[in-house]
Amino acid sequence: MARRPLPRILSSGGASITRSREIARTAADNATDVLHPLITVTRGLRLLAAAGRQKWAATPRDRRGHVLFLVAACVLVVALIPYGPLLALIAVMGAAAWRGRERTPARTGPDEAETARLRALYEALVPHFSTADDPGPLFSRGGDWEEAFGTSYAFDADGRLTRLQVHYPAYFTDGEPDCRARVEQVLHAKSGRGREYHFAWDEESNHLLMTVLAALPTTIAAQRFVTAPGETVLGFTDADAVQRTVPVRDGDVTRDASPVIWRTGSRSTEPHLLAVGHPGSGTTTLMRSLALQALQYGDVLVVEGGGTGEYGFLTGRDGVLAVECGLAGALSTLEWAAHETERRLIAANRARQSGHPEPEDIKRPLWILLDRPSVFGHLAAADGRQDPQELLEVPLRHGRAAGVTVVVADQFDSLDTLTEAVRTRTRARAVLGPATREEAESVLGASPHTTPTPDVPPGRGYARLGTGPVLRLQVPVTPDPYDGATSEAHREAVLDLLPGGPAPATPVESGAAEPKRLDALVTAPAVAEG
């Protein structure tokens, strides 16, 4: 059957309708432009009226009479002054125009680029948070990312995520470190590298909160910190990680910072410290900072295996018993430290048995600082002599009761050379410099909840005291004041903390058989040794 042509009015009706719509839309736009001031003033009058009604409703009933009298008086004054009603009308119209102006609408959701980033992040998490037999998966290919992320996200000015809360299924094995690490690696890669992220797992609510951490300040130099005897500042961490703050000088200003406090002495559960890092990570800076703080209340023995003279500025200072850089001096110094620990134990035991207070010569804390003892181990093995680390057995085992604190610093490639006593007795740990998650976990005993960054300044790392949480750490700037690259401000900051006594202009290497000024502590050896 042949198809009949449509009537003319029906075939040309679509074009006429389209043309009529365009004419109507153009007329509406022109009318809106012409009447825009009137629309703005009308909207403002409506808003002013609503504000007036709210103000009247909020006014107590016993004060409404006073308000009406005040309004009537104002209207009477305006009506009596010349041009008063006209000025009042102009003022009301101006206020209405200002109140009814068009404002930029508040942003209520992510833009297209941020939505695409959230979508990509959702798709990347699907293999980790989904199973094939889940009838109602929270994560699925092409699923709804808003159900998994909700509105708990934030972006910075560059459009990169700074905060994200992920709701994951209850069957996800969030108690296994490997599963957590895979999810954290995906979030780190998709959210942008070069930043440090913190991951907080809430197993009870099945939530994972990822936040971007701000860089710890590197401008806090060595200074006298406000601490009690037996407290030492390892460095500074995030404000929400600890509950204590101390005032510090940060450049030219004084502010409160959150310190990592290490408590030593007879009541400490972590009396000894092990610091590990790669070359240039800042372990020597940490040792210098600890030495300057220890000299305020105690005596210090320094044994340096690197032989670079990083501690030469301490030689001859009050409270510094010895600074040894040679194998012979290190052996004699540590042997004396072992005997001194035994002497203190005997003296304290006899004083307690006789009901007398402890002698004064054992109350002053003794600090033993060993920087890179693994070097001495190689030298001792080649020379057929005793490893200096073996002499640390007594100070490490009985140091807490005798008031002796041992601090050991070495590098990752020398961890296998540390003795069993050093590895088991040093319950306070610090990892400085760029380190992988596996390296940090091998030293700290727990994995950090943050992603390590490839480029970190010296003295940046993690610290863990005993079985406590892993904290981010930034060691105070404590350079060698005799180094030519040290700035004048940092040099003066270190020198101001040194106690009195002569100081040589250059580092002095000591290889003597007996450490200098060791008799400062041994005032009554006959009584102590019996």
Side-chain angles (χ1 to χ4, degrees), residues 446-471:
S447 178
H449 295 290
T450 61
T451 57
T453 55
D455 299 326
V456 295
R460 175 75 57 80
Y462 302 99
R464 189 187 186 202
L465 303 178
T467 58
V470 179
L471 304 175

Side-chain angles (χ1 to χ4, degrees), residues 127-184:
H128 304 278
F129 289 145
S130 64
T131 57
D133 55 351
D134 190 354
L138 182 61
F139 286 81
S140 61
R141 298 294 181 185
D144 185 11
W145 62 266
E146 294 183 355
E147 185 178 357
F149 299 155
T151 59
S152 300
Y153 52 81
F155 293 86
D156 57 10
D158 299 330
R160 300 206 302 176
L161 275 169
T162 58
R163 183 181 181 276
L164 177 67
Q165 185 172 359
V166 181
H167 307 270
Y168 56 86
Y171 54 76
F172 175 71
T173 55
D174 51 7
E176 299 181 3
D178 294 338
C179 297
R180 286 187 176 191
R182 286 193 293 268
V183 173
E184 293 175 2

Side-chain angles (χ1 to χ4, degrees), residues 311-376:
Y311 305 92
F313 67 98
L314 295 173
T315 304
R317 296 288 181 173
D318 292 342
V320 180
L321 303 182
V323 178
E324 299 295 342
C325 300
L327 178 59
L331 289 173
S332 61
T333 299
L334 295 180
E335 184 178 0
W336 176 88
H339 292 315
E340 174 65 13
T341 304
E342 295 175 350
R343 186 189 73 84
R344 290 183 174 215
L345 286 175
I346 295 173
N349 186 33
R350 291 184 175 180
R352 285 192 293 267
Q353 290 180 356
S354 60
H356 298 295
E358 294 182 353
E360 294 295 332
D361 61 331
I362 68 172
K363 289 185 177 181
R364 188 171 174 86
L366 174 62
W367 287 66
I368 306 174
L369 307 181
L370 287 88
D371 194 353
R372 298 206 64 190
S374 59
V375 176
F376 287 132

Side-chain angles (χ1 to χ4, degrees), residues 490-505:
H490 291 162
R491 179 181 292 106
E492 293 296 331
V494 173
L495 294 178
D496 290 343
L497 297 178
L498 290 174

Side-chain angles (χ1 to χ4, degrees), residues 257-335:
S258 302
V260 179
I261 299 294
W262 175 37
R263 293 174 176 85
T264 58
S266 59
R267 300 183 182 275
S268 173
T269 57
E270 303 87 20
H272 310 297
L273 172 71
L274 173 63
V276 184
H278 291 288
S281 59
T283 54
T284 303
T285 299
L286 175 60
M287 299 285 278
R288 283 193 292 260
S289 176
L290 295 178
L292 293 176
Q293 296 181 62
L295 288 174
Q296 185 178 3
Y297 302 107
D299 299 307
V300 175
L301 289 174
V302 180
V303 178
E304 181 189 0
T308 57
E310 297 283 348
Y311 305 92
F313 67 98
L314 295 173
T315 304
R317 296 288 181 173
D318 292 342
V320 180
L321 303 182
V323 178
E324 299 295 342
C325 300
L327 178 59
L331 289 173
S332 61
T333 299
L334 295 180
E335 184 178 0

Side-chain angles (χ1 to χ4, degrees), residues 2-142:
R3 182 177 296 178
R4 296 182 179 180
L6 294 174
R8 180 179 180 85
I9 186 173
L10 294 179
S11 61
S12 61
S16 301
I17 293 174
T18 302
R19 197 162 44 251
S20 300
R21 289 177 178 175
E22 292 179 355
I23 294 174
R25 187 180 297 109
T26 303
D29 293 341
N30 294 335
T32 302
D33 295 338
V34 173
L35 300 177
H36 180 71
L38 181 60
I39 295 174
T40 301
V41 172
T42 303
R43 186 190 304 116
L45 290 174
R46 185 175 66 255
L47 294 176
L48 290 176
R53 286 195 300 269
Q54 294 178 359
K55 188 68 175 178
W56 176 258
T59 303
R61 293 183 178 274
D62 55 345
R63 296 184 180 180
R64 290 183 178 181
H66 301 82
V67 174
L68 288 176
F69 177 78
L70 181 61
V71 171
C74 293
V75 171
L76 181 61
V77 171
V78 170
L80 293 178
I81 63 176
Y83 304 102
L86 180 60
L87 294 176
L89 179 61
I90 294 175
V92 171
M93 292 297 103
W98 177 259
R99 188 67 182 270
R101 72 191 187 281
E102 294 182 357
R103 298 180 178 88
T104 302
R107 183 178 174 181
T108 58
D111 55 19
E112 295 182 1
E114 296 172 352
T115 302
R117 185 179 290 271
L118 292 173
R119 166 64 62 182
L121 190 58
Y122 174 84
E123 295 292 340
L125 293 175
V126 168
H128 304 278
F129 289 145
S130 64
T131 57
D133 55 351
D134 190 354
L138 182 61
F139 286 81
S140 61
R141 298 294 181 185

